[in-house]
């Protein structure tokens, strides 16, 4: 399958994520959209990794080209998991304090 | 005494003693104790400085220079040295402090321990600037001298002190940062990657690079001196600072700028100096006439003296760039002269203000009847300030003008117009403050007290000694001059 | 000998220190004794020096190194030769007489002020001695500015009066303008010759070709200095105002000594001037123009001291004319005789003012002949001397200058003659209005009229004798061969110039004719003046037309005020309030304000809305993405 298909899919996912973050006010949905963007990047990383491996293995089938891309993905997943735990905790605290998960109530940062 | 077995050197003593004494005074309780102790400390510093004049000979070299291990990773060592120019300016600093403390002895400051402590810290910074042989150390003390002055002026100053000192600080600090950028640039182009003065002198810089860095250095020094058009912080700051601080600022601190030119700018960037000499001398000369004209219409004594100081400093700056032995020798002696003369004038202004509560020339008059001693001493100091022969400033200005004339007769003629203007504003001031009939304000004036009269007399004696017998000064500063000129001619 | 040389100026200096520092405690009589005594000692020493020089023992006496920087060596040393020893005698001799006179004249002052007065006078003598004794231009310049300072201090001696301090200030500033020229000339000479010692400068200049730009420039600048100090066009207006000082001061500083410093300087540097004919022309023309201008003003003045002041300016003009035409000896001669008779005139005027209780307007005088016999006789002798009646001293010296001018160009002579006729006229107008006719002052003044004490008349008598016989030091060739003692005495000083100048020898017959014409015309003018003013009556009629212009001194003061003083003040005001406050400081503050303002605007971006932050982030990311695409 052509690499373009993966790129289109990843771009679409990423854009959905961006638009979701920009337009929605619900913190949980924003959170999910952030995850969507992360996963769009993960998808790309895996796709390119595979592509590099295939082109390089034609010349040398013991090659390890492209493996670093896959390793990045694991890093991102680990970080995302950590982020989720912290992020959700923040959202829970937010709900406890202001009884809402609407981010527009969170405008005290400017002070 | 064997010069090889040196325990402590003069630069160290001169530098650390005021610093330590400043810290001690800061820790003292409130009250007159701080005042008296700082007076004692400053007299000790003066003594050290005087003693150092006995060891100027080449064989005492180990006594006059020192280098500590400081930041070897980046090639900077804590190097200090007393050469001719440095010695003269250290002496000026050491001499000025007791004079300032004594003449402002009757002035009351709140939190005197902090005030005097900061004053002594400033002294240490100033001496550091005059002794530093390493660019980083120089920069360090350059800033160390600035920061306490900011607090001194902004805590103990006049009504608009916050505004004035804020401007002063931002202005000079901008200059300092430019200087830092310049220093780092030159450092990166030294052959052995050190901050030492001598590697700066031998740095590999193309003419174009020099021209660029020149402005970084020059603007920093020009703000400090100050040179037209970078001068507008000065009258405000002088006006708003307490007199003791004004004396430090105008008597010593502005010399940092001139000194910076002589030690750190001209020998490091000889090609750029040749390239921009007309620009700088032109600016200086325009500034002299400009400042003298403005001084004519000032009503506040402090502002008048501030503008007159700008004119005098402009002359020194022009002479530094004139590339002549006479000019540079004149600048070295004139820095000292200007320091003591202007401190003398500030002393008089301070006394008038303390006694009569005003500095407005238009509100004064007839003081010569009420305080003849003060009037006589002021007339002498003021005439020294306009360089009458047999006073110290004549020697300096004569040499400076002579050096400038070698550079260009036209600039000299223009600059000399400010001599006439100086006579105009000085005589106006004397006439309006001291002559004429007394008015309701001055009718109650008394003559000055003994300690002030003695301090002013010391200044007057110094004025005449240097004015009649300047030769020892020339011998002292000769090494600096030769060094300076050789660097400049090497850049041809 | 060398000790004496240094003691000559030092003794008045010690007098200055004693009177100046001891001011609060010293009594009046001791102040006067210290003041006059120090000058007397100095005078005696000067006589010894003079005799030594006459026997050929002059020379340069080194003190110590003053300035030595690189190749520039300026020693503090004194030169005693024919010219300086002659001036030494004039300065200390007349100085002593005037000190004695002052002791009586100033007796109404408080002790502290009295001591201050003598301190200033002694300081003046010290500075003047420095000026003439210096063996290089720097020492000369020290004295040059020093006498200017003393003149300032003494004009403003009564410092409570604002007019007087204004006059003092004006004198100092105008002198400073001249000093500027002097100073620039010094630097030029250093550049040209590498030294400022008289001997070396003149010998180096002597080997230069005539009429070079450098020499012309140097001499013109020096001459600018001379116009300031010696009150010539364009810097003469301070001298009449300087009459605000006490009268003995006017006699000493503003007539006999200080104002002749310019002549001394040019005579000293005669080699330079001889080699710069252009400058010589300028000197002659300016001198003559000043002589005429001042004489016309003097015709209409009514203040006794103002008349004498303008007459001084005019006589100084003659001296410069003499210098300009190369008649150096004649000019120095005129300096000497002028010192005698002009000091005498001022002291006489002082005696009159003293007698009339500080009345200075001659319209309120008259008929003083019978009240002040000694003053009257001496004053008359001085008038005859200044008018140029033989055999009084002024005749010989002025004649020498005019003959010198004729040799140069007859026009100079005829114009100069007109000036000297005016001199005769205004001097005898002054004499007639003061001493002849009836007393026109108030009755009370008349009651108090009295001859001055001996301390005041004694100097008058001495000076009168000198004014009468002083001329015989320089009897011209015309009357007796080798009778011109002064010329022979001074010839070593002007030796080099003499050889460089084309010889002029006027036939004796022409000289006789010119002399005859001069004398006859002068006598006619004297007679006219006496006839016209001997029975002067006060009138209330205002002067009109040309007379009014003369009475207002050609409006020169007003002119200077309008073209220099006022524009300078306006310009300064403009710089201060417009350029400085709004311009430069405005830019500095403007930068500060701009930073402040833009920070405030940028702060609005920080709204606290999470969405807004994210939007900015995305926009920025897109922005960089696009840049990345296009900029490759």
């Amino acid at each position: 399958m052509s690499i373009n298909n993966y790129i289109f899919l990843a771009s679409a996912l990423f854009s959905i994520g961006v638009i979701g973050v920009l337009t929605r006010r619900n913190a949980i949905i924003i959170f999910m959209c952030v995850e969507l963007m992360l996963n769009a990047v993960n998808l790309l990383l895996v796709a390119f990794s595979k592509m590099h491996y295939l082109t390089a293995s034609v010349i040398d089938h013991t090659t390890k080209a492209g493996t670093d891309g896959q390793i990045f993905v694991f890093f991102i997943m680990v970080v995302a998991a950590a982020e989720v735990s912290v992020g959700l905790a923040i959202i829970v605290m937010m709900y406890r304090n202001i009884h809402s998960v609407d981010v527009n109530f969170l405008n005290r940062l400017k002070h | 005494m064997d010069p090889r077995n040196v325990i402590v050197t003069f630069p160290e003593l001169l530098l650390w003693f005021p610093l330590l004494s400043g810290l001690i005074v800061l820790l003292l309780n409130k009250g007159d104790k701080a005042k008296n102790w700082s007076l004692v400390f400053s007299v000790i510093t003066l003594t050290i400085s005087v003693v150092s004049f006995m060891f100027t000979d080449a064989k005492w070299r180990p006594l006059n220079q020192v280098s500590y291990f400081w930041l070897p990773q980046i090639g900077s060592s804590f190097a200090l040295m007393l050469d001719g120019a440095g010695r003269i300016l250290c002496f000026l600093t050491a001499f000025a402090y007791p004079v300032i403390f004594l003449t402002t002895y009757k002035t009351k400051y709140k939190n005197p321990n902090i005030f005097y402590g900061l004053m002594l810290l400033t002294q240490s910074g100033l001496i550091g600037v005059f002794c530093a042989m390493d660019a980083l150390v120089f920069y360090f003390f350059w800033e160390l001298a600035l920061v306490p002055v900011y607090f001194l002026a902004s805590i103990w100053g006049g009504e608009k002190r916050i505004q004035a000192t804020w401007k002063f600080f931002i202005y000079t600090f901008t200059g300092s940062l430019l200087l830092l950028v310049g220093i780092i640039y030159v450092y990166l182009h030294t052959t052995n990657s050190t901050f030492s003065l001598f590697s700066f002198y031998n740095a590999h810089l193309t003419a174009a690079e020099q021209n660029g860095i020149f402005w970084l250095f020059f603007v920093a020094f020009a703000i400090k001196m100050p040179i037209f058009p970078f001068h507008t912080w000065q009258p405000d700051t002088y006006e708003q600072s307490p007199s003791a601080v004004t004396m430090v600022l105008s008597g010593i601190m502005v010399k940092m700028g001139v000194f910076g030119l002589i030690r750190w700018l001209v020998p490091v960037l000889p090609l750029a100096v040749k390239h921009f000499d007309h620009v700088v001398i032109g600016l200086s000369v325009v500034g002299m006439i400009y400042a003298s004209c403005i001084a004519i219409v000032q009503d506040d004594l402090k502002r008048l003296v501030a503008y007159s100081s700008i004119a005098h400093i402009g002359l020194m700056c022009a002479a530094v760039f004139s590339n002549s032995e006479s000019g540079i020798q004149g600048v070295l002696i004139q820095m000292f002269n200007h320091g003591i003369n202007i401190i003398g004038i500030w002393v008089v202004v301070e006394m008038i203000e303390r006694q009569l509560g005003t500095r407005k020339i238009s509100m004064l008059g007839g003081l010569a009847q009420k305080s003849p001693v003060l009037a006589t001493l002021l007339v002498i100091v003021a005439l020294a300030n306009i360089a009458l022969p047999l006073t110290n400033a004549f020697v300096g200005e004569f040499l400076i003008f002579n050096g400038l004339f070698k550079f260009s007769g036209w600039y000299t003629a223009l600059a000399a117009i400010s001599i006439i203007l100086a006579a105009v504003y000085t005589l106006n001031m004397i006439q309006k403050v001291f002559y004429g009939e007394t008015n309701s304000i001055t009718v109650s004036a008394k003559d000055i007290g003994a300690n002030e009269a003695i301090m002013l007399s010391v200044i007057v004696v110094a004025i005449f000694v240097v004015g009649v017998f300047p030769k020892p000064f020339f011998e002292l500063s000769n090494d600096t001059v030769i060094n300076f000129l050789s660097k400049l001619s090497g850049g041809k | 000998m060398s000790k004496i040389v240094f003691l000559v100026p030092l003794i008045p200096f010690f007098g200055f220190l004693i009177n100046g520092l001891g001011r609060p405690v010293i009594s009046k009589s001791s102040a006067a004794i210290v003041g006059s005594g120090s000058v007397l000692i100095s005078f005696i020493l000067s006589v010894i020096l003079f005799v030594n020089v006459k026997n050929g023992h002059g020379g340069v006496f080194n003190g110590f190194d003053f300035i030595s920087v690189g190749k520039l060596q300026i020693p503090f040393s004194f030169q005693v030769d024919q010219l300086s020893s002659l001036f030494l005698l004039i300065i200390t001799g007349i100085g002593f007489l005037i000190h004695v006179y002052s002791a009586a004249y100033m007796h109404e002052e408080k002790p502290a002020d009295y001591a201050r007065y003598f301190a200033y006078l002694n300081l003046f003598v010290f500075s003047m001695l420095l000026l003439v004794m210096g063996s290089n231009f720097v020492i000369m310049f020290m004295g040059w500015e020093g006498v200017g300072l003393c003149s300032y201090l003494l004009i403003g001696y009564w410092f409570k009066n604002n007019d007087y301090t204004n006059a003092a200030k004006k004198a100092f500033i105008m002198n400073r303008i001249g000093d500027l020229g002097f100073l620039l000339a010094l630097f030029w000479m250093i550049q040209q010759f590498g030294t400022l010692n008289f001997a070396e400068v003149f010998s180096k200049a002597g080997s230069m070709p005539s009429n070079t730009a450098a020499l012309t420039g140097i001499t013109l600048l020096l001459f600018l200095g001379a116009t300031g100090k010696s009150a010539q066009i364009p810097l003469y207006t301070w001298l009449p105002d300087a009459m605000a000082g006490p009268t003995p001061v006017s006699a000493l500083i503003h007539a006999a000594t200080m104002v002749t410093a310019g002549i001394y300087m040019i005579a000293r540097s005669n080699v330079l001037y001889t080699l710069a004919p252009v400058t010589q022309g300028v000197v002659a023309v300016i001198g003559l123009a000043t002589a005429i201008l001042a004489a016309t003003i003097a015709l209409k003045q009514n203040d006794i001291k103002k008349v004498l002041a303008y007459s001084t300016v005019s006589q100084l003009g003659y001296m410069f004319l003499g210098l300009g035409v190369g008649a150096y000896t004649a000019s120095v001669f005129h300096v000497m005789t002028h010192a005698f008779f002009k000091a005498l005139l001022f002291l006489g005027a002082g005696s009159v003012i003293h007698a009339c209780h500080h009345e200075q307007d001659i319209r309120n005088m008259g008929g003083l002949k019978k009240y002040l016999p000694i003053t009257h006789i001496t004053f008359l002798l001085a008038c005859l001397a200044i008018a140029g009646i033989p055999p009084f001293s002024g005749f010989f010296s002025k004649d020498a200058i005019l003959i010198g001018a004729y040799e140069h160009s007859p026009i100079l002579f005829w114009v100069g003659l007109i000036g000297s006729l005016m001199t005769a006229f205004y001097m005898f107008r002054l004499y007639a209005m003061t001493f002849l006719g009836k007393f026109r002052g108030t009755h009370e003044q008349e009651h108090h009229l009295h001859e001055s004490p001996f301390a005041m008349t004694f100097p008058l008598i001495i000076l009168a004798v000198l004014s009468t016989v002083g001329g015989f030091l320089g009897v011209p060739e015309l009357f007796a061969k080798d009778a011109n003692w002064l010329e022979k005495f001074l010839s070593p000083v002007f030796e080099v110039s003499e050889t460089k100048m084309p010889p002029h020898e006027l036939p004796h017959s022409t000289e006789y004719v010119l002399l005859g014409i001069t004398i006859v015309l002068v006598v006619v003018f004297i007679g006219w003046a006496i006839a016209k003013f001997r029975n002067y009556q006060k009138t209330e009629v205002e002067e009109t037309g040309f007379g009014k212009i003369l009475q207002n001194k050609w409006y020169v003061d007003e002119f200077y005020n309008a073209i220099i003083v006022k524009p300078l003040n306006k310009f300064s005001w403009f710089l201060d309030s417009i350029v400085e406050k709004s311009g430069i400081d405005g830019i500095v503050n403007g930068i500060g304000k701009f930073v402040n303002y833009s920070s405030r605007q940028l702060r609005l971006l920080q709204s606290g809305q999470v969405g807004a932050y994210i939007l900015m982030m995305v926009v920025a990311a897109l922005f960089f993405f696009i840049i990345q695409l296009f900029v490759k």
Side-chain angles (χ1 to χ4, degrees), chain B residues 332-412:
Chain B
L332 289 178
I333 194 169
Q334 184 67 2
M335 280 201 275
F336 178 79
N337 296 338
H338 180 258
I340 61 171
N341 292 356
I342 203 157
I343 288 175
I345 293 183
W346 289 126
V347 171
V348 176
V349 173
E350 156 81 2
M351 274 172 223
I352 291 174
E353 192 187 0
R354 196 167 63 208
Q355 207 181 68
L356 305 173
T358 181
R359 296 189 306 252
K360 293 265 175 268
I361 294 173
S362 51
M363 291 167 79
L364 298 167
L367 274 183
Q369 298 165 47
K370 293 289 172 185
S371 23
V373 179
L374 179 66
T376 313
L377 292 171
L378 171 86
V379 168
I380 296 173
V381 177
L383 292 174
N385 200 37
I386 59 172
L388 221 68
L390 291 179
T391 63
N392 54 5
F394 173 71
V395 178
E397 290 202 355
F398 182 83
L399 290 174
I400 287 178
F401 275 118
N402 184 31
L404 200 55
F405 194 90
K406 286 208 177 89
F407 182 79
S408 156
W410 293 112
Y411 283 124
T412 316

Side-chain angles (χ1 to χ4, degrees), chain B residues 234-245:
Chain B
Q234 199 205 32
D236 294 345
T237 312
Y238 284 12
E239 192 184 0
Q240 297 301 327
S241 302
S243 289
V245 178

Side-chain angles (χ1 to χ4, degrees), chain B residues 265-285:
Chain B
L265 176 76
V266 178
V268 175
L269 308 166
L271 295 175
V273 168
K274 291 227 165 57
H275 193 248
F276 290 118
D277 51 3
H278 279 276
V279 179
V280 174
I281 294 180
L283 265 188
S284 310
V285 169

Side-chain angles (χ1 to χ4, degrees), chain B residues 167 290 307 416 419 428 431 436, chain C residues 159 165-166 169 180 580 585:
Chain B
K167 186 158 143 190
Y290 176 83
Y307 280 108
I419 290 188
N428 262 336
Q431 183 190 23
Chain C
F159 57 74
T165 50
N166 275 337
K169 201 170 72 182
L180 172 68
E580 175 85 356
D585 210 20

Side-chain angles (χ1 to χ4, degrees), chain C residues 214-229:
Chain C
L215 277 180
T216 309
I218 289 170
T219 45
L220 275 177
L221 285 171
L222 280 177
F223 179 60
L224 177 63
T227 56
K229 192 81 20 187

Side-chain angles (χ1 to χ4, degrees), chain B residues 95-105 107 242-248 250-251 301-302 305 339-355 359 367 373-375 377-378 381-382 434 448-460:
Chain B
F95 173 76
Y97 265 75
V99 172
I100 293 169
F101 285 155
L102 267 180
T103 47
T104 58
Y105 195 79
T107 316
S243 289
V245 178
T246 312
M247 290 181 206
V248 173
S250 65
L301 277 173
K302 276 193 161 181
V305 182
I340 61 171
N341 292 356
I342 203 157
I343 288 175
I345 293 183
W346 289 126
V347 171
V348 176
V349 173
E350 156 81 2
M351 274 172 223
I352 291 174
E353 192 187 0
R354 196 167 63 208
Q355 207 181 68
R359 296 189 306 252
L367 274 183
V373 179
L374 179 66
L377 292 171
L378 171 86
V381 177
F434 287 96
I448 53 175
N451 66 332
E452 288 129 349
I454 290 170
M455 268 3 275
L456 272 177
S457 309
V458 168
I459 290 176
V460 166

